[in-house]
Amino acid sequence: MFPISKKSGSTLATWLRGLGAPELERVLAARPDAVSAPEPRSIGELADRLQRPASVALALPRLVLPYLQVAEALAALTPTSRDVLAGLLDAADGERTHDLDAVLEALADRALVWPDGNGLLRMAAPLRQAWESPLGLDASLAQLLANTASAELGRMLAALGIKPTGNNKQNRLAALIDHHSDPDRVAALVAKAPAAARKLLERQAVRAPERSRFILFGAPSSDSGPGERWALERGLLIQDRHRHGPARMPAEVALALRGPDWHAPFTPVPPVLRSVSVTASEVEREAAAAAMAFAAHAASVLRVCAATPPARLKAGGIGSRELSRIGKAAQCDEIVVRLVLEAASAAGLLARDGERVAATAAYDTWAEEEPADRLAVLLRSWWTLALTPGGSRDEDGKALPALTGAPPCGGCVQARHGLLAVAAQLPAGEGSADLADLGMSIVWHRPLVDQLAQDATPFATLIQEAEVLGALALGALSPIGAALFADDARALVDACRRLLPAASGTARFGSDLTAVVAGTPSAALVTLLDSVADRETAGAASVWRFSPGSVRRALDAGLTPDVITADLAAVAVEPLPQPLSYLIHDAARSHGRVRVVSAACVIHGEEPALLTELAAHRKLTQLGLRQLAPTVLISRTPPDRTLAALRSAGYAPVAEAPDGSVRIERAQRPRVASPVPAPRPPGGPARPRQTEARAADARTAVDLSSLAARLLTAPQDVPEPDPWDGRPYDSDTEEIIAGHARNLSFTDVRQLAHAVNEGRTITIEYVATSGSATVRTLSRLELDAPYLHAWCHLRDDERVFTISRIHGVMPA
């Protein structure tokens, strides 16, 4: 059974004071944000931190499905007894009752639900407000009738034939609540109702309440039908007099009309995860293949972006056309391109440069690292990405651009963590037989996470990403996935280095004018082969093909045939084949026979026949060539365009510098400043590995056991007296409000604090920053000092109010 307080009281602080040290330590461990620096100095301060909306919001995404189901049921009934809650969840006996106790204990460990001294279950106010209509139910009868006049309550009781113990409002409201809280009496009453009223009530009992967006001053219109009037006269429906809209059904009435066989959903057992046997070696082999392929593709994608920065759309992001261009050049699928772009951007390897996305200086450092270290940088970035990179379609099926800079998606991060958490629960030597089961398990373990509209099965895109990266293999968690799940940077680098071989610095050259590199080529080898050949395939093995054009490209960069041959021979596993040597020297013999000089522009050479041929060439007429001498031509076209046209026509010209030397043509490397620090492999130096001492963590972990003992032995919070009349504060909320409400009297502070604690509607006089004063009626109050979050009935929307600008408080 979940921990019971030794002291009575409905507040969280009172319950916490009654816990033993082990129970309080569990609360501190489950809600680490509440003990972050500075440490709480008292139980009262701890309770205040635990009930802050931001703190509760941090705890919610980590709750599994049954925790949220129980919390929603309790939100519909709170405060209520455990037996009533068990009846609603169909967990009154058998194994389900033990499951319910386990869930309540887990919620109590997180200080989200606790029992008071009267046998009722209480819950943190921000948790209750997480549901606008829990279980599709409206507010309770007490809340809906809080502002109803005593005379109107008397008319309802008279219609029901009930005589209260007293004629004041409190006694009349208590009698009406007592009657409507009995499902048998409500069912018997509705059974005698006119047919129109009965149908109306039964229909409204099973649908969520409608929220009107219009304000009506004064009483509601009287044009309701006879069925609705019958229900209104007996309090089975309540008309909200402050806004126009349909009559509201109290939660007690709706539950009674749903019948004893209706139960709130409660799924304490996770879905079955079918598994098959897999060995650790099989998982590692599959993960290594996937990781190696992704590392090679990532290098290719970023190399393409570094050479030709992709253009951004006017609306932001990189569109489908650019993604297709990058994918075609890097020879990989779109999901890989999106993964690489998003992870590299988050790691600071890419950054926006005007209307393009360019490589940063950090990319050059990253490109020189070993494949395992490069992969580790991208994996760490993916693990913390606040989006799902593979999301390529919206709800309407339209293509989504990449790198849009969308708002952070906490649910996407939780989905990624939930996937690996589910996979980690599989027994050793087993993998998921159907990956769709993993998606269904995520729904149970992380019910609040975000799903993509494009997925035919839950989280299909996320699972595909994990497989592409090698985090999942054969339905099981790989060493890479285990390191990510443990959030261990060093273990991640070690896993990558174990699965990925070192970069290859050699190639095999074939007589078919190809070069094949097994594994991941080193950065120097890639630079060499890209300069003299064209890449055809990339992945577990990369292939380059030599051609006259590719060799001429190397010659244009200033290399000589002897240097090219020597460089290739230095990385060749075997001697260079004769066809490749012949190709290099044949291309060199024709290279430079025609020279282009920028005189706007002059073409000259040593062969008059060749110059005459150029002047008469029909494909070169657009250059406006004119022969000035047997070995000199003049062109009206700039040198760069002239060079391109001559090369397109099959010639091999070179450019001259003003001093007559050959101008070296090297590819430009556009770079932009990185918005984040340069990525650094978190595991230390690359191979060969060196033994080094791990740096001690500078942060000192909080000793929860000693903190729990200090809090329990600390003196209880003594309310500070009010500065006006010496009266003590009634609650922590009151003290917090008093510290910020400079313009409120003690009575107004107490009234506002009571409304926050009890979820009551309140009316305030508020002075805006412009100086204009308005009167606002507020409900659904959330205190986040120095601000008050509430639903404003005047604006019919959520609003944030500065407490110091509240000048008066009155009942709604």
Side-chain angles (χ1 to χ4, degrees):
M1 185 65 180
F2 58 98
I4 301 295
S5 174
K6 301 172 185 175
K7 300 182 180 181
S8 299
S10 60
T11 66
L12 177 60
T14 303
W15 178 72
L16 289 172
R17 290 189 185 102
L19 295 178
E23 291 86 359
L24 183 58
E25 186 177 342
R26 288 209 303 270
V27 173
L28 298 175
R31 300 285 295 278
D33 58 291
V35 298
S36 58
E39 294 181 4
R41 294 167 296 178
S42 65
I43 291 291
E45 184 179 349
L46 173 64
D48 176 61
R49 291 189 186 185
L50 291 171
Q51 295 185 96
R52 290 175 181 172
S55 178
V56 174
L58 285 175
L60 280 178
R62 302 181 184 277
L63 300 183
V64 297
L65 180 61
Y67 294 3
L68 288 174
Q69 289 173 332
V70 171
E72 183 179 6
L74 187 57
L77 301 175
T78 189
T80 190
S81 67
R82 182 205 170 280
D83 292 340
V84 172
L85 178 65
L88 181 62
L89 295 170
D90 192 22
D93 50 32
E95 188 65 27
R96 289 172 66 87
T97 190
H98 298 296
D99 294 331
L100 176 58
D101 286 340
V103 171
L104 289 173
E105 183 174 356
L107 292 174
D109 286 343
R110 292 161 174 79
L112 298 174
V113 173
W114 64 92
D116 67 10
N118 300 317
L120 299 179
L121 297 174
R122 303 278 179 173
M123 69 189 313
L127 178 60
R128 166 60 184 87
Q129 294 161 1
W131 292 274
E132 186 174 7
S133 303
L135 301 181
L137 300 174
D138 211 321
S140 66
L141 191 65
Q143 292 173 297
L144 294 180
L145 293 177
N147 299 320
T148 304
S150 178
E152 188 172 351
L153 293 175
R155 287 192 291 270
M156 292 180 184
L157 292 173
L160 292 169
I162 300 174
K163 186 174 182 180
T165 57
N167 288 327
N168 57 28
K169 178 178 178 179
Q170 183 177 1
N171 289 334
R172 288 174 173 173
L173 181 59
L176 189 61
I177 292 176
D178 178 67
H179 179 274
H180 285 359
S181 298
D182 188 336
D184 294 333
R185 283 190 283 190
V186 173
L189 175 64
V190 175
K192 301 176 184 178
R198 187 168 61 253
K199 291 181 180 179
L200 171 66
L201 291 170
E202 291 173 350
R203 184 172 60 251
Q204 190 159 340
V206 296
R207 70 183 183 190
E210 298 179 16
R211 302 294 179 184
S212 172
R213 302 194 64 80
F214 299 96
I215 301 172
L216 180 67
F217 298 96
S221 58
S222 59
D223 57 354
S224 55
E228 187 176 41
R229 284 198 299 271
W230 186 92
L232 288 170
E233 290 169 355
R234 289 157 178 80
L236 299 174
L237 294 178
I238 307 297
Q239 184 68 60
D240 192 336
R241 296 182 177 275
H242 293 284
R243 65 175 65 234
H244 177 70
R248 303 169 65 179
M249 176 175 285
E252 299 93 332
V253 176
L255 285 174
L257 293 180
R258 290 181 184 182
D261 296 330
W262 184 87
H263 299 285
F266 181 49
T267 315
V269 180
V272 177
L273 190 58
R274 295 167 294 174
S275 62
V276 294
S277 297
V278 292
T279 64
S281 59
E282 290 174 336
V283 172
E284 289 196 7
R285 185 166 57 250
E286 188 74 15
M292 189 183 303
F294 178 77
H297 286 143
S300 298
V301 167
L302 294 181
R303 194 177 302 111
V304 171
C305 294
T308 309
R312 300 177 69 254
L313 299 172
K314 291 184 178 179
I318 299 177
S320 300
R321 181 173 298 178
E322 282 287 69
L323 292 175
S324 298
R325 177 186 68 82
I326 297 171
K328 184 177 180 181
Q331 299 176 353
C332 56
D333 297 332
E334 181 180 333
I335 187 172
V336 176
V337 176
R338 288 178 175 271
L339 269 171
V340 174
L341 292 180
E342 296 289 358
S345 177
L349 307 180
L350 297 175
R352 180 177 174 181
D353 183 19
E355 298 304 317
R356 294 187 174 273
V357 176
T360 66
Y363 161 73
D364 297 317
T365 304
W366 176 87
E368 297 296 329
E369 299 288 344
E370 286 290 323
D373 296 335
R374 297 202 303 250
L375 177 62
V377 169
L378 297 180
L379 285 171
R380 286 288 302 171
S381 180
W382 173 77
W383 182 242
T384 57
L385 272 179
L387 77 160
T388 302
S392 59
R393 299 284 170 179
D394 61 10
E395 293 82 358
D396 300 325
K398 296 181 180 178
L400 293 173
L403 296 180
T404 56
C409 171
C412 297
V413 179
Q414 288 297 326
R416 191 177 304 119
H417 294 185
L419 170 61
L420 298 194
V422 169
Q425 294 178 3
L426 286 167
E430 293 186 14
S432 176
D434 188 348
L435 294 179
D437 291 349
L438 289 176
M440 295 303 298
S441 295
I442 297 174
V443 175
W444 191 90
H445 285 88
R446 296 287 193 275
L448 295 182
V449 300
D450 291 354
Q451 298 190 44
L452 297 181
Q454 70 189 39
D455 289 341
T457 58
F459 304 103
T461 301
L462 176 62
I463 294 171
Q464 184 183 2
E465 288 182 8
E467 287 187 310
V468 168
L469 293 167
L472 282 180
L474 301 177
L477 199 65
S478 72
I480 289 176
L484 285 173
F485 181 61
D487 203 19
D488 190 333
R490 180 173 293 276
L492 178 61
V493 174
D494 290 342
C496 291
R497 288 177 177 174
R498 189 173 73 253
L499 296 180
L500 271 67
S504 176
T506 60
R508 291 186 178 273
F509 296 90
S511 57
D512 59 348
L513 301 180
T514 59
V516 180
V517 180
T520 304
S522 65
L525 182 58
V526 168
T527 301
L528 171 61
L529 293 179
D530 279 348
S531 68
V532 74
D534 298 314
R535 187 184 298 213
E536 288 191 339
T537 60
S542 302
V543 178
W544 280 263
R545 183 171 295 277
F546 296 87
S547 66
S550 67
V551 175
R552 282 200 301 267
R553 186 172 65 239
L555 296 171
D556 291 338
L559 299 178
T560 65
D562 294 336
V563 171
I564 295 175
T565 303
D567 289 345
L568 295 179
V571 299
V573 177
E574 298 173 345
L576 295 181
Q578 275 190 342
L580 179 57
S581 299
Y582 289 160
L583 174 65
I584 295 172
H585 288 87
D586 286 344
R589 278 194 295 270
S590 63
H591 186 262
R593 292 171 61 193
V594 175
R595 295 179 173 233
V596 175
V597 62
S598 60
C601 79
V602 175
I603 304 172
H604 66 96
E606 298 179 356
E607 304 175 34
L610 179 58
L611 272 293
T612 303
E613 178 184 335
L614 292 178
H617 203 297
R618 297 179 62 181
K619 289 186 177 180
L620 301 177
T621 54
Q622 75 275 10
L623 297 179
L625 299 180
R626 178 183 176 188
Q627 191 166 11
L628 299 181
T631 57
V632 179
L633 292 178
I634 188 172
S635 170
R636 296 194 301 266
T637 307
D640 291 340
R641 289 172 57 189
T642 299
L643 281 168
L646 290 173
R647 288 167 180 166
S648 177
Y651 298 95
V654 295
E656 269 192 4
D659 61 358
S661 62
V662 175
R663 190 180 74 192
I664 304 301
E665 299 180 16
R666 292 192 176 93
Q668 297 298 316
R669 302 168 66 186
R671 297 293 181 266
V672 64
S674 172
V676 299
R680 184 175 300 171
R687 292 184 183 88
R689 301 187 207 175
Q690 299 177 1
T691 304
E692 60 179 358
R694 181 176 299 184
D697 192 346
R699 297 172 298 175
T700 303
V702 177
D703 187 344
L704 299 181
S705 179
S706 61
L707 176 59
R710 287 199 305 272
L711 291 174
L712 290 174
T713 56
Q716 295 189 8
D717 298 332
V718 179
E720 296 180 6
D722 178 75
W724 290 290
D725 56 13
R727 288 178 294 179
Y729 293 117
D730 188 52
S731 65
D732 295 335
T733 304
E734 188 175 304
E735 184 177 355
I736 293 171
I737 292 176
H740 298 278
R742 299 187 299 269
N743 300 305
L744 294 182
S745 66
F746 177 78
T747 303
D748 285 347
V749 168
R750 177 157 290 183
Q751 190 169 5
L752 180 58
H754 179 72
V756 171
N757 289 334
E758 300 298 326
R760 300 294 180 87
T761 302
I762 200 76
T763 299
I764 65 171
E765 181 182 351
Y766 189 72
V767 178
T769 54
S770 61
S772 60
T774 58
V775 176
R776 310 286 187 98
T777 298
L778 310 179
S779 59
R780 305 208 302 259
L781 308 177
E782 293 184 20
L783 180 61
D784 188 12
Y787 304 106
L788 182 69
H789 300 257
W791 180 269
C792 178
H793 291 234
L794 177 63
R795 302 302 182 195
D796 200 27
D797 197 3
E798 292 283 352
R799 287 290 189 269
V800 179
F801 301 90
T802 304
I803 297 176
S804 61
R805 294 187 174 276
I806 300 176
H807 285 245
V809 180
M810 62 202 80

